[in-house]
Amino acid sequence: MSELTNEIQRRRTFAIISHPDAGKTTLTEKLLLFGGAIHVAGAVKSNKIKKTATSDWMEIEKQRGISVATSVMGFDYVSTPLGEPYKINILDTPGHQDFAEDTYRTLTAVDSVIIVVDIAKGVEAHTRKLMEVCRMRKTPVMVFVNKMDRDGKDPFDLLDELEQELKIGVRPLSWPIEMGAKFKGVYNIYEEKLDLYTPSKQTITEKLEIQDLKNSELERQIGDDLAQKLRDDLELIAGVYAPIPPNPLKGEQGGKPGNNAAAKSPLGDLGVQYLNGDLAPVFFGSALNNFGVKELLDCFVQIAPSPRPVQAEERQVIPETDLFSGFIFKIHANMDPNHRSCIAFLKICSGKFDRNASYKHVRFDKMMKFSQATAFMAQKKETVDEAFAGDIIGLPDTGNFKIGDTLTSGEVLHFKGLPSFSPEMFKYIENADPMKTKQLNKGVDQLMDEGVAQLFVNQYNGRKIIGTVGQLQFEVIQYRLLHEYGAQCRWEPLHLYKACWIESDSPEDLENFKKRKYQYMALDKQERDVFLADSAYVLQMAQQDFPKIRFHFSSEF
């Protein structure tokens, strides 16, 4: 096996998604803790723990205890003492619906997904929506049932709910012993051993290992009733769900990152169903108290896919090919508040990236050289000399990139499927401090490049309009303009129904339309014509009166 193939096959790039407050950021923090990337875990909201979560590094995220942007963290993880390290790239996504566009874009850059479900609330609305996107892209999914240290639904009922709501088969690979105040620990079905923990919110604690369920040590540790209940539950699971191949991790195997071919999956047929997106392995635990997280991580690196082929418009791109290719799926301004810089996040789809080599920027049709490519640990960055398919690296952006741009070693490729929504809420943005006009303009420009919201300039009065998917985005923009750029803005309400991009094969019809609808016309950041309809009726009449004009509700046309 060549060095390139070996490097690519030890990579695991995945996103953590869920409804708000199910515990994504807490789980991310604990995965970093078990991976050795951090030594003390922070908390999202806590009066006692002053250290904040690594992935919530923006000031507004620390204050509100929510994620408002996807953050990327990469680290090496050794699952067995003799094994080679896996290179893990985690993307922690925002849960709030207002930032769904960021999450959907992130899903185009990952090879698999972990869905976090709250044991008390079960499957929630936003989780269903995100699952639809995963189903559409056939992304392999794992489920982590979180907050077992609180009382919630019966685990068997929850498994049924997962199957019905997410429309996917499930197979528990760990099983909880009680829940809430009586929560004792998790039996690891996958490795056939019981781990009893003492809860700790910030550090890794010792665990007790029981290999055989018939062992009388089990009764001594958790009592006769619970021991018998655990044996009965496991018997029921074995009868209802598809069997797992015997002891996949016993012996010395399982330490080396290998090929994802079905035959080599430690779960046999179950592994094939998982990789095809038809079955979700389920784990139980409490991310806050470190229960069940290591089981999830150890099994994940064994069975999750290494980088998968990506469909470009021209051809299918195979990760192991020597030719480099990748696309920009996110841009972030001010990761370092001391420098007004933007970082473009590049997902490498194939081959190897070398620092200081020249690569083709497909949209500009010119070669570019990057000497400052960086790898991420949330906000902290370090320069990388090389990166492989599956990795996510940061490239300094001085206005050269927009979301969806492709870099290759010379070939012309276009990666598709990076969504962009038609905004649903609109407000005029006004400068509240005339002395800071330059800072406001720069801030608005950089934040719009990030894809936080969309900017339109009204042709009738020249005023700037910001369009978003949800109210929370306006608050985030206002906060970030003030704290990152020192610019104050105020919002003025504007009642609009929809913004639609228009085009036509007939220049006269287009010109006629623009004259007739002059006060409703605007330009977006790329200087394209946008029609601002103030009601559904106005839009419907415009479509009827001008049959030769095409109306697009997404900026990708």
Side-chain angles (χ1 to χ4, degrees), residues 334-341:
N334 298 322
M335 287 190 77
D336 181 351
N338 301 323
H339 303 283
R340 287 272 165 270
S341 59

Side-chain angles (χ1 to χ4, degrees), residues 38 100 162 265 362 446 475 503 524:
I38 54 175
L162 286 170
S265 173
V362 173
Q446 288 194 343
E475 295 171 32
E503 61 169 357
D524 71 357

Side-chain angles (χ1 to χ4, degrees), residues 386-460:
E386 56 181 29
F388 297 86
D391 282 340
I392 286 162
I393 57 172
L395 302 174
D397 176 23
T398 52
N400 292 323
F401 293 115
K402 62 178 203 190
I403 289 165
D405 276 349
T406 308
L407 283 180
T408 66
S409 42
E411 188 182 358
V412 173
L413 284 175
H414 296 89
F415 292 100
K416 52 187 181 184
L418 281 160
S420 175
F421 297 158
S422 173
E424 291 166 17
M425 302 177 85
F426 302 87
K427 287 184 182 179
Y428 283 120
I429 183 166
E430 292 296 336
N431 191 356
D433 180 359
M435 303 297 286
K436 299 275 186 180
T437 306
K438 189 178 165 191
Q439 285 88 331
L440 181 79
N441 290 341
K442 177 154 193 184
V444 169
D445 265 5
Q446 288 194 343
L447 292 182
M448 295 309 120
D449 281 341
E450 270 189 35
V452 174
Q454 295 189 35
L455 173 71
F456 307 105
V457 180
N458 193 325
Q459 294 301 91
Y460 181 60

